[in-house]
Amino acid sequence: MNPAQDESAAAVRVLRTIGEGLSRLGLALAAMALLVVILFNFVNVVLRYVFLHSLPWAEELMLYLMIFAVYAGAVSVAWEQRHIRLAGVLNFAPPRFRRALEIFSSLVLVGILCPIVYSSATVVSFLFEFGEHSDALEAPMWIPQSVIPAALGMIALIAVVRIIVPDLAPRRIAYDDIERI
């Protein structure tokens, strides 16, 4: 291999490592958020039916954590390429057209996500500027709302990186490997 190929291979390894790290982090954060939801739900049920008192802000917190879990998990799903896409079309397309269809699919995804990211980031900045707070939790509203542009922006970035670096496919775990785990 020449030095340019070594640098290219090293860059792909770095991008793959970053992507896989973000994927694992997203899954871990989503799992932790859901565990906290379960914990607060259990505590609130016990408080309500045993002590006739509940945490008035717990339901709002659980809602924000569930939304966070969905978006954190979505980043992982996008990296692993397990999101809804034209898999049937890609699998049955002639090999010479697959790359073009993958690029088209990624461009459509980026084209849809960019206006959503822009709009939601604008809403987050307004919420920050106006100092809006949630009703029960009294948390600054820009904090839970910022999850949306951050996660969707990362998904769009993943799609763009996959267009530029086509051999960035994640290492998939085979079904046989899952049985051994």
Side-chain angles (χ1 to χ4, degrees):
M1 262 209 250
N2 66 36
Q5 288 174 326
D6 287 342
E7 288 180 21
S8 177
V12 169
R13 279 193 302 275
V14 167
L15 286 172
R16 184 177 288 122
T17 301
I18 291 169
E20 289 174 358
L22 286 175
S23 176
R24 283 192 215 102
L25 178 64
L27 286 177
L29 290 174
M32 285 190 289
L34 290 176
L35 286 173
V36 171
V37 167
I38 292 168
L39 175 71
F40 270 101
N41 198 19
F42 175 77
V43 167
N44 223 19
V45 167
V46 170
L47 287 174
R48 181 178 297 129
Y49 293 108
V50 175
F51 299 102
L52 302 175
H53 176 73
S54 64
L55 302 171
W57 46 264
E59 189 170 332
E60 189 173 288
L61 176 65
M62 289 186 290
L63 177 67
Y64 293 147
L65 286 172
M66 283 189 285
I67 293 169
F68 173 81
V70 167
Y71 281 99
V75 172
S76 178
V77 167
W79 173 258
E80 295 290 330
Q81 292 185 324
R82 297 186 187 274
H83 56 287
I84 296 173
R85 43 187 220 138
L86 305 172
V89 174
L90 288 172
N91 291 340
F92 290 111
R96 66 175 187 246
F97 295 125
R98 285 186 190 153
R99 179 70 184 137
L101 287 171
E102 287 176 0
I103 291 171
F104 176 74
S105 174
S106 294
L107 289 173
V108 168
L109 177 64
V110 171
I112 291 170
L113 289 181
C114 283
I116 297 171
V117 169
Y118 176 77
S119 298
S120 58
T122 302
V123 168
V124 168
S125 69
F126 285 147
L127 291 171
F128 180 80
E129 185 178 323
F130 297 142
E132 292 291 320
H133 287 74
S134 63
D135 292 331
L137 197 55
E138 295 184 23
M141 285 302 297
W142 68 269
I143 295 173
Q145 295 292 332
S146 65
V147 170
I148 297 168
L152 295 181
M154 281 193 263
I155 292 169
L157 183 62
I158 288 169
V160 169
V161 168
R162 288 197 185 282
I163 292 170
I164 297 168
V165 186
D167 56 343
L168 197 59
R171 291 183 216 113
R172 296 199 188 259
I173 298 174
Y175 181 73
D176 296 336
D177 293 337
I178 292 172
E179 290 178 345
R180 282 185 267 147
I181 294 177

